[in-house]
């Protein structure tokens, strides 16, 4: 029997503190608008479209933060099944292996276990979305020129979480009764990145068959 989502995605299990939008800001109003559209039952393809008169960078920023929160929560819920022993390599089946690289500790692509990769990834994203120079929250402060490029890198790496979860841990998601929720989150993510061409199509290959089944 499927559990209530509040039981499945218990906030105590969140992998990392969630980033919130400050009430009264334009970003918060955009976030509320996006959430209202989601709850209205509208087609997800329509939900992701840029509202008339809104800034595309604000719209992308809101969704990047929201997807970070949602995917972070999904992984945090089933992270007890993703261990150094069960997942010694961050992969998506036998064909795809993801190595970690950043500008500090790992300057070259480095093989990590899935739990290590996820931890590095969530730390890295949290650092970026809390950086006012990249995700400005003050009125009148412009986004940097490389903003969408940074978001592409964030979303590409978040997609790899879906790849790992679907290929290696989907039985756990089913057992928790969360399949429909995870599928909806994935579809929302997929339609968004396709709407704004934010991820190279080659990165989407590992889930191509599943995507064709549930997103078309």
């Amino acid at each position: 029997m499927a559990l209530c989502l509040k039981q499945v995605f218990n906030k105590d299990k969140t992998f990392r503190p969630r980033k919130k939008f400050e009430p009264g800001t334009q970003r918060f109003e955009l976030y509320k608008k996006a959430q209202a559209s989601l709850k209205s039952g509208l087609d997800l393809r329509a939900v992701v479209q840029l509202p008339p008169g809104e800034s595309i960078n604000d719209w992308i920023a809101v969704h990047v933060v929201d997807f970070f929160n949602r995917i972070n929560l999904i992984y945090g819920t089933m992270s007890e099944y993703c261990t150094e022993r069960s997942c010694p390599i961050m992969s998506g089946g036998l064909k795809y292996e993801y190595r970690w690289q950043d500008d500090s500790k790992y300057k070259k692509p480095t093989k990590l276990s899935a739990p290590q990769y996820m931890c590095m990834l969530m730390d890295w994203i949290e650092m970026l979305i809390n950086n006012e120079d990249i995700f400005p929250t003050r009125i009148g402060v412009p986004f940097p020129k490389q903003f969408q490029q940074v978001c592409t890198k964030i979303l590409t790496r978040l997609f790899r979480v879906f790849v790992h979860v679907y290929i290696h841990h989907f039985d756990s998601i089913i057992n928790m009764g969360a399949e429909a929720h995870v599928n909806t989150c994935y579809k929302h993510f997929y339609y968004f990145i396709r709407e704004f061409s934010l991820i190279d199509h080659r990165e989407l290959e590992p889930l191509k068959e599943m995507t064709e089944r549930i997103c078309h």
Side-chain angles (χ1 to χ4, degrees):
M1 181 182 292
L3 295 173
C4 163
L5 281 181
K6 285 184 179 177
Q7 291 175 286
V8 175
F9 295 106
N10 188 317
K11 286 186 178 179
D12 292 339
K13 289 187 173 182
T14 304
F15 193 58
R16 187 154 312 283
R18 292 166 61 133
K19 167 78 173 180
K20 295 184 178 179
F21 301 100
E22 290 298 321
T25 63
Q26 181 184 13
R27 203 76 53 77
F28 181 71
E29 295 305 315
L30 263 184
Y31 172 72
K32 286 200 302 182
K33 185 181 292 186
Q35 292 303 301
S37 295
L38 269 178
K39 292 174 184 176
S40 70
L42 288 173
D43 186 315
L44 287 171
R45 289 182 183 85
V47 166
V48 300
Q49 293 173 3
L50 180 67
E54 298 294 353
S55 154
I56 186 171
N57 281 343
D58 275 318
W59 190 239
I60 290 174
V62 163
H63 282 80
V64 167
V65 173
D66 190 40
F67 287 134
F68 166 65
N69 286 336
R70 290 167 181 267
I71 296 168
N72 168 42
L73 188 54
I74 288 170
Y75 180 74
T77 300
M78 46 70 56
S79 59
E80 63 189 284
Y81 306 107
C82 183
T83 65
E84 301 284 332
R85 185 171 181 177
S86 68
C87 305
I89 297 172
M90 174 57 183
S91 61
L94 297 175
K95 192 175 178 182
Y96 300 96
E97 178 183 320
Y98 301 116
R99 299 190 175 192
W100 181 257
Q101 183 177 13
D102 53 37
D103 294 326
S104 52
K105 187 175 180 181
Y106 298 98
K107 297 185 184 297
K108 294 181 179 180
T110 304
K111 184 182 294 189
L112 297 178
S113 67
Q116 287 177 308
Y117 186 101
M118 299 296 186
C119 188
M120 296 301 299
L121 173 60
M122 299 306 174
D123 279 344
W124 175 76
I125 296 175
E126 191 172 41
M127 175 194 70
L128 289 174
I129 63 179
N130 285 303
N131 185 335
E132 282 285 331
D133 292 332
I134 301 172
F135 281 74
T137 57
R138 297 186 300 277
I139 295 174
V141 177
F143 286 91
K145 289 182 180 179
Q146 78 276 21
F147 175 70
Q148 289 189 26
Q149 185 179 345
V150 171
C151 289
T152 285
K153 194 164 186 178
I154 291 173
L155 293 168
T156 297
R157 287 179 165 182
L158 281 175
F159 182 80
R160 295 171 183 175
V161 180
F162 277 122
V163 173
H164 186 75
V165 167
Y166 270 117
I167 293 177
H168 294 279
H169 300 293
F170 201 59
D171 284 349
S172 300
I173 296 294
I174 292 173
N175 290 337
M176 288 188 289
E179 180 180 5
H181 179 80
V182 175
N183 283 348
T184 298
C185 183
Y186 176 76
K187 287 163 72 173
H188 186 201
F189 181 93
Y190 176 79
Y191 290 138
F192 183 80
I193 58 104
R194 295 295 287 173
E195 175 74 15
F196 300 102
S197 302
L198 290 167
I199 296 182
D200 189 301
H201 68 92
R202 291 170 296 185
E203 283 283 345
L204 307 177
E205 280 295 314
L207 297 181
K208 182 178 179 181
E209 288 185 15
M210 185 203 75
T211 302
E212 289 176 347
R213 190 170 67 250
I214 71 172
C215 294
H216 296 285

